[in-house]
Amino acid sequence: MTEQLTAFYHSALTGCMLCFFYDIIRIMRCLINPPIFWINIEDIIFSFIASLICFGITLTVYPGTFRLYMLTGLIMGGLIYHFCVGKYIVSFIGKKFAKIRKFINKKIILYKNKNK
């Protein structure tokens, strides 16, 4: 029973970690505003890396056997992170980056006006 709980715990932490990294991608998208093509490429790359991480967790926790509670742990960990912490982190970091971007844009405008 403790092995299953440990596997569930590791899966939940992996789900939280993957959601955190995807939140970083979401924040960058808000700042850069890339075209849809690049968003699709980013999602494909993230999905590929996430699947490799999940596969690695499956190999390390159990020797290649897949258990439903591991999938449940991934999903629950991701949902708990997203709804409890993730939306606040995205909002907070997004606002900070927006302030930094605004500050840099002001400096660039001042520099351009100064050199005219």
Side-chain angles (χ1 to χ4, degrees):
M1 182 71 176
T2 58
E3 290 180 16
Q4 288 87 5
L5 288 175
T6 303
F8 181 81
Y9 175 73
H10 286 283
S11 297
L13 285 178
T14 303
C16 289
M17 178 192 69
L18 290 174
C19 280
F20 174 74
F21 288 129
Y22 195 74
D23 280 347
I24 292 172
I25 293 172
R26 286 176 49 205
I27 292 168
M28 292 303 177
R29 284 182 187 165
C30 289
L31 295 174
I32 298 170
N33 198 12
I36 298 292
F37 174 77
W38 291 114
I39 291 174
N40 292 334
I41 297 296
E42 289 172 357
D43 286 344
I44 290 170
I45 291 170
F46 176 81
S47 298
F48 179 73
I49 292 171
S51 64
L52 289 177
I53 290 171
C54 292
F55 183 69
I57 291 294
T58 302
L59 287 178
T60 57
V61 174
Y62 280 104
T65 58
F66 181 75
R67 304 287 184 203
L68 185 60
Y69 55 83
M70 294 172 70
L71 178 63
T72 306
L74 278 168
I75 293 170
M76 285 182 62
L79 289 175
I80 289 171
Y81 168 82
H82 178 72
F83 288 113
C84 293
V85 181
K87 57 184 172 182
Y88 300 113
I89 288 177
V90 170
S91 175
F92 177 76
I93 294 174
K95 287 177 184 175
K96 294 297 179 188
F97 277 140
K99 286 181 181 179
I100 292 169
R101 183 178 182 188
K102 189 176 180 180
F103 176 77
I104 290 171
N105 285 340
K106 283 183 182 179
K107 293 295 180 184
I108 290 172
I109 290 170
L110 287 174
Y111 179 76
K112 286 181 180 179
N113 289 338
K114 186 178 178 181
N115 288 335
K116 282 186 176 181

PDB file of all heavy atoms in Angstrom, residues 7-28:
ATOM      1  N   ALA A   7       3.876   6.222  -5.247  1.00  0.00           N
ATOM      2  CA  ALA A   7       3.739   6.426  -6.693  1.00  0.00           C
ATOM      3  C   ALA A   7       2.706   7.513  -6.974  1.00  0.00           C
ATOM      4  O   ALA A   7       2.917   8.365  -7.849  1.00  0.00           O
ATOM      5  CB  ALA A   7       3.339   5.121  -7.370  1.00  0.00           C
ATOM      6  N   PHE A   8       1.605   7.503  -6.238  1.00  0.00           N
ATOM      7  CA  PHE A   8       0.579   8.522  -6.411  1.00  0.00           C
ATOM      8  C   PHE A   8       1.132   9.898  -6.060  1.00  0.00           C
ATOM      9  O   PHE A   8       0.908  10.878  -6.775  1.00  0.00           O
ATOM     10  CB  PHE A   8      -0.632   8.199  -5.530  1.00  0.00           C
ATOM     11  CG  PHE A   8      -1.753   9.175  -5.663  1.00  0.00           C
ATOM     12  CD1 PHE A   8      -2.636   9.086  -6.722  1.00  0.00           C
ATOM     13  CD2 PHE A   8      -1.930  10.187  -4.728  1.00  0.00           C
ATOM     14  CE1 PHE A   8      -3.678   9.989  -6.855  1.00  0.00           C
ATOM     15  CE2 PHE A   8      -2.956  11.096  -4.855  1.00  0.00           C
ATOM     16  CZ  PHE A   8      -3.838  10.998  -5.931  1.00  0.00           C
ATOM     17  N   TYR A   9       1.891   9.973  -4.991  1.00  0.00           N
ATOM     18  CA  TYR A   9       2.506  11.226  -4.552  1.00  0.00           C
ATOM     19  C   TYR A   9       3.480  11.756  -5.610  1.00  0.00           C
ATOM     20  O   TYR A   9       3.445  12.938  -5.966  1.00  0.00           O
ATOM     21  CB  TYR A   9       3.207  11.002  -3.214  1.00  0.00           C
ATOM     22  CG  TYR A   9       3.990  12.169  -2.701  1.00  0.00           C
ATOM     23  CD1 TYR A   9       3.344  13.284  -2.198  1.00  0.00           C
ATOM     24  CD2 TYR A   9       5.384  12.170  -2.722  1.00  0.00           C
ATOM     25  CE1 TYR A   9       4.060  14.367  -1.724  1.00  0.00           C
ATOM     26  CE2 TYR A   9       6.110  13.239  -2.255  1.00  0.00           C
ATOM     27  CZ  TYR A   9       5.443  14.338  -1.757  1.00  0.00           C
ATOM     28  OH  TYR A   9       6.140  15.413  -1.287  1.00  0.00           O
ATOM     29  N   HIS A  10       4.329  10.896  -6.116  1.00  0.00           N
ATOM     30  CA  HIS A  10       5.278  11.309  -7.158  1.00  0.00           C
ATOM     31  C   HIS A  10       4.548  11.762  -8.422  1.00  0.00           C
ATOM     32  O   HIS A  10       4.958  12.730  -9.065  1.00  0.00           O
ATOM     33  CB  HIS A  10       6.255  10.180  -7.492  1.00  0.00           C
ATOM     34  CG  HIS A  10       7.290   9.949  -6.447  1.00  0.00           C
ATOM     35  ND1 HIS A  10       8.380  10.771  -6.287  1.00  0.00           N
ATOM     36  CD2 HIS A  10       7.405   8.993  -5.499  1.00  0.00           C
ATOM     37  CE1 HIS A  10       9.120  10.332  -5.284  1.00  0.00           C
ATOM     38  NE2 HIS A  10       8.539   9.250  -4.796  1.00  0.00           N
ATOM     39  N   SER A  11       3.483  11.065  -8.764  1.00  0.00           N
ATOM     40  CA  SER A  11       2.703  11.449  -9.945  1.00  0.00           C
ATOM     41  C   SER A  11       2.040  12.802  -9.742  1.00  0.00           C
ATOM     42  O   SER A  11       2.011  13.631 -10.657  1.00  0.00           O
ATOM     43  CB  SER A  11       1.647  10.389 -10.239  1.00  0.00           C
ATOM     44  OG  SER A  11       2.237   9.163 -10.552  1.00  0.00           O
ATOM     45  N   ALA A  12       1.508  13.036  -8.552  1.00  0.00           N
ATOM     46  CA  ALA A  12       0.861  14.319  -8.268  1.00  0.00           C
ATOM     47  C   ALA A  12       1.888  15.458  -8.320  1.00  0.00           C
ATOM     48  O   ALA A  12       1.605  16.527  -8.871  1.00  0.00           O
ATOM     49  CB  ALA A  12       0.166  14.279  -6.913  1.00  0.00           C
ATOM     50  N   LEU A  13       3.066  15.241  -7.769  1.00  0.00           N
ATOM     51  CA  LEU A  13       4.113  16.262  -7.839  1.00  0.00           C
ATOM     52  C   LEU A  13       4.554  16.509  -9.283  1.00  0.00           C
ATOM     53  O   LEU A  13       4.810  17.659  -9.669  1.00  0.00           O
ATOM     54  CB  LEU A  13       5.320  15.856  -6.997  1.00  0.00           C
ATOM     55  CG  LEU A  13       5.156  15.986  -5.493  1.00  0.00           C
ATOM     56  CD1 LEU A  13       6.407  15.497  -4.780  1.00  0.00           C
ATOM     57  CD2 LEU A  13       4.864  17.411  -5.099  1.00  0.00           C
ATOM     58  N   THR A  14       4.612  15.466 -10.066  1.00  0.00           N
ATOM     59  CA  THR A  14       4.958  15.618 -11.478  1.00  0.00           C
ATOM     60  C   THR A  14       3.890  16.427 -12.200  1.00  0.00           C
ATOM     61  O   THR A  14       4.205  17.302 -13.020  1.00  0.00           O
ATOM     62  CB  THR A  14       5.137  14.244 -12.138  1.00  0.00           C
ATOM     63  OG1 THR A  14       6.135  13.516 -11.424  1.00  0.00           O
ATOM     64  CG2 THR A  14       5.548  14.380 -13.589  1.00  0.00           C
ATOM     65  N   GLY A  15       2.621  16.166 -11.903  1.00  0.00           N
ATOM     66  CA  GLY A  15       1.538  16.936 -12.498  1.00  0.00           C
ATOM     67  C   GLY A  15       1.616  18.407 -12.124  1.00  0.00           C
ATOM     68  O   GLY A  15       1.417  19.286 -12.973  1.00  0.00           O
ATOM     69  N   CYS A  16       1.943  18.697 -10.862  1.00  0.00           N
ATOM     70  CA  CYS A  16       2.128  20.088 -10.425  1.00  0.00           C
ATOM     71  C   CYS A  16       3.284  20.743 -11.169  1.00  0.00           C
ATOM     72  O   CYS A  16       3.178  21.885 -11.631  1.00  0.00           O
ATOM     73  CB  CYS A  16       2.384  20.149  -8.922  1.00  0.00           C
ATOM     74  SG  CYS A  16       0.974  19.788  -7.902  1.00  0.00           S
ATOM     75  N   MET A  17       4.382  20.025 -11.281  1.00  0.00           N
ATOM     76  CA  MET A  17       5.566  20.558 -11.950  1.00  0.00           C
ATOM     77  C   MET A  17       5.283  20.852 -13.424  1.00  0.00           C
ATOM     78  O   MET A  17       5.670  21.901 -13.941  1.00  0.00           O
ATOM     79  CB  MET A  17       6.721  19.565 -11.824  1.00  0.00           C
ATOM     80  CG  MET A  17       7.991  19.994 -12.520  1.00  0.00           C
ATOM     81  SD  MET A  17       9.207  18.673 -12.647  1.00  0.00           S
ATOM     82  CE  MET A  17       8.423  17.583 -13.811  1.00  0.00           C
ATOM     83  N   LEU A  18       4.598  19.939 -14.089  1.00  0.00           N
ATOM     84  CA  LEU A  18       4.288  20.147 -15.502  1.00  0.00           C
ATOM     85  C   LEU A  18       3.366  21.347 -15.692  1.00  0.00           C
ATOM     86  O   LEU A  18       3.548  22.137 -16.624  1.00  0.00           O
ATOM     87  CB  LEU A  18       3.662  18.887 -16.097  1.00  0.00           C
ATOM     88  CG  LEU A  18       4.597  17.687 -16.257  1.00  0.00           C
ATOM     89  CD1 LEU A  18       3.824  16.459 -16.712  1.00  0.00           C
ATOM     90  CD2 LEU A  18       5.723  18.004 -17.219  1.00  0.00           C
ATOM     91  N   CYS A  19       2.405  21.504 -14.810  1.00  0.00           N
ATOM     92  CA  CYS A  19       1.515  22.675 -14.904  1.00  0.00           C
ATOM     93  C   CYS A  19       2.274  23.966 -14.638  1.00  0.00           C
ATOM     94  O   CYS A  19       2.001  24.991 -15.268  1.00  0.00           O
ATOM     95  CB  CYS A  19       0.348  22.532 -13.933  1.00  0.00           C
ATOM     96  SG  CYS A  19      -0.942  21.469 -14.578  1.00  0.00           S
ATOM     97  N   PHE A  20       3.224  23.940 -13.713  1.00  0.00           N
ATOM     98  CA  PHE A  20       4.025  25.122 -13.440  1.00  0.00           C
ATOM     99  C   PHE A  20       4.823  25.533 -14.689  1.00  0.00           C
ATOM    100  O   PHE A  20       4.856  26.701 -15.060  1.00  0.00           O
ATOM    101  CB  PHE A  20       4.964  24.889 -12.264  1.00  0.00           C
ATOM    102  CG  PHE A  20       5.916  26.014 -12.015  1.00  0.00           C
ATOM    103  CD1 PHE A  20       5.467  27.191 -11.445  1.00  0.00           C
ATOM    104  CD2 PHE A  20       7.254  25.911 -12.379  1.00  0.00           C
ATOM    105  CE1 PHE A  20       6.342  28.249 -11.228  1.00  0.00           C
ATOM    106  CE2 PHE A  20       8.131  26.956 -12.157  1.00  0.00           C
ATOM    107  CZ  PHE A  20       7.667  28.127 -11.573  1.00  0.00           C
ATOM    108  N   PHE A  21       5.446  24.557 -15.344  1.00  0.00           N
ATOM    109  CA  PHE A  21       6.213  24.872 -16.547  1.00  0.00           C
ATOM    110  C   PHE A  21       5.312  25.367 -17.674  1.00  0.00           C
ATOM    111  O   PHE A  21       5.697  26.239 -18.442  1.00  0.00           O
ATOM    112  CB  PHE A  21       7.045  23.673 -16.996  1.00  0.00           C
ATOM    113  CG  PHE A  21       8.213  23.393 -16.105  1.00  0.00           C
ATOM    114  CD1 PHE A  21       8.436  22.131 -15.597  1.00  0.00           C
ATOM    115  CD2 PHE A  21       9.098  24.404 -15.749  1.00  0.00           C
ATOM    116  CE1 PHE A  21       9.515  21.874 -14.763  1.00  0.00           C
ATOM    117  CE2 PHE A  21      10.175  24.164 -14.924  1.00  0.00           C
ATOM    118  CZ  PHE A  21      10.377  22.893 -14.429  1.00  0.00           C
ATOM    119  N   TYR A  22       4.113  24.806 -17.756  1.00  0.00           N
ATOM    120  CA  TYR A  22       3.196  25.297 -18.785  1.00  0.00           C
ATOM    121  C   TYR A  22       2.725  26.717 -18.462  1.00  0.00           C
ATOM    122  O   TYR A  22       2.505  27.517 -19.373  1.00  0.00           O
ATOM    123  CB  TYR A  22       1.995  24.363 -18.957  1.00  0.00           C
ATOM    124  CG  TYR A  22       1.244  24.646 -20.224  1.00  0.00           C
ATOM    125  CD1 TYR A  22       1.765  24.272 -21.451  1.00  0.00           C
ATOM    126  CD2 TYR A  22       0.035  25.320 -20.208  1.00  0.00           C
ATOM    127  CE1 TYR A  22       1.106  24.546 -22.636  1.00  0.00           C
ATOM    128  CE2 TYR A  22      -0.635  25.600 -21.383  1.00  0.00           C
ATOM    129  CZ  TYR A  22      -0.095  25.208 -22.586  1.00  0.00           C
ATOM    130  OH  TYR A  22      -0.753  25.498 -23.747  1.00  0.00           O
ATOM    131  N   ASP A  23       2.591  27.042 -17.180  1.00  0.00           N
ATOM    132  CA  ASP A  23       2.252  28.417 -16.799  1.00  0.00           C
ATOM    133  C   ASP A  23       3.341  29.397 -17.222  1.00  0.00           C
ATOM    134  O   ASP A  23       3.046  30.519 -17.628  1.00  0.00           O
ATOM    135  CB  ASP A  23       2.020  28.527 -15.293  1.00  0.00           C
ATOM    136  CG  ASP A  23       0.643  28.052 -14.887  1.00  0.00           C
ATOM    137  OD1 ASP A  23      -0.222  27.866 -15.780  1.00  0.00           O
ATOM    138  OD2 ASP A  23       0.402  27.878 -13.678  1.00  0.00           O
ATOM    139  N   ILE A  24       4.588  28.974 -17.137  1.00  0.00           N
ATOM    140  CA  ILE A  24       5.685  29.829 -17.607  1.00  0.00           C
ATOM    141  C   ILE A  24       5.535  30.084 -19.113  1.00  0.00           C
ATOM    142  O   ILE A  24       5.702  31.214 -19.573  1.00  0.00           O
ATOM    143  CB  ILE A  24       7.054  29.192 -17.280  1.00  0.00           C
ATOM    144  CG1 ILE A  24       7.270  29.189 -15.766  1.00  0.00           C
ATOM    145  CG2 ILE A  24       8.187  29.925 -17.990  1.00  0.00           C
ATOM    146  CD1 ILE A  24       8.485  28.431 -15.312  1.00  0.00           C
ATOM    147  N   ILE A  25       5.181  29.049 -19.849  1.00  0.00           N
ATOM    148  CA  ILE A  25       4.950  29.218 -21.291  1.00  0.00           C
ATOM    149  C   ILE A  25       3.780  30.173 -21.521  1.00  0.00           C
ATOM    150  O   ILE A  25       3.840  31.037 -22.398  1.00  0.00           O
ATOM    151  CB  ILE A  25       4.705  27.849 -21.959  1.00  0.00           C
ATOM    152  CG1 ILE A  25       5.976  27.008 -21.923  1.00  0.00           C
ATOM    153  CG2 ILE A  25       4.214  28.022 -23.396  1.00  0.00           C
ATOM    154  CD1 ILE A  25       5.785  25.578 -22.375  1.00  0.00           C
ATOM    155  N   ARG A  26       2.723  30.037 -20.729  1.00  0.00           N
ATOM    156  CA  ARG A  26       1.562  30.925 -20.880  1.00  0.00           C
ATOM    157  C   ARG A  26       1.928  32.376 -20.605  1.00  0.00           C
ATOM    158  O   ARG A  26       1.472  33.291 -21.305  1.00  0.00           O
ATOM    159  CB  ARG A  26       0.450  30.498 -19.913  1.00  0.00           C
ATOM    160  CG  ARG A  26      -0.261  29.250 -20.336  1.00  0.00           C
ATOM    161  CD  ARG A  26      -1.292  28.800 -19.326  1.00  0.00           C
ATOM    162  NE  ARG A  26      -2.169  29.879 -18.908  1.00  0.00           N
ATOM    163  CZ  ARG A  26      -2.805  29.910 -17.749  1.00  0.00           C
ATOM    164  NH1 ARG A  26      -2.650  28.920 -16.880  1.00  0.00           N
ATOM    165  NH2 ARG A  26      -3.593  30.902 -17.437  1.00  0.00           N
ATOM    166  N   ILE A  27       2.744  32.600 -19.598  1.00  0.00           N
ATOM    167  CA  ILE A  27       3.171  33.972 -19.279  1.00  0.00           C
ATOM    168  C   ILE A  27       3.982  34.546 -20.435  1.00  0.00           C
ATOM    169  O   ILE A  27       3.783  35.699 -20.838  1.00  0.00           O
ATOM    170  CB  ILE A  27       3.973  33.996 -17.964  1.00  0.00           C
ATOM    171  CG1 ILE A  27       3.059  33.675 -16.787  1.00  0.00           C
ATOM    172  CG2 ILE A  27       4.655  35.341 -17.764  1.00  0.00           C
ATOM    173  CD1 ILE A  27       3.785  33.391 -15.495  1.00  0.00           C
ATOM    174  N   MET A  28       4.892  33.756 -20.981  1.00  0.00           N
ATOM    175  CA  MET A  28       5.702  34.230 -22.103  1.00  0.00           C
ATOM    176  C   MET A  28       4.832  34.547 -23.318  1.00  0.00           C
ATOM    177  O   MET A  28       5.101  35.487 -24.052  1.00  0.00           O
ATOM    178  CB  MET A  28       6.771  33.199 -22.472  1.00  0.00           C
ATOM    179  CG  MET A  28       7.827  33.047 -21.429  1.00  0.00           C
ATOM    180  SD  MET A  28       8.600  34.639 -21.121  1.00  0.00           S
ATOM    181  CE  MET A  28       9.699  34.241 -19.832  1.00  0.00           C
TER     182      MET A  28
END
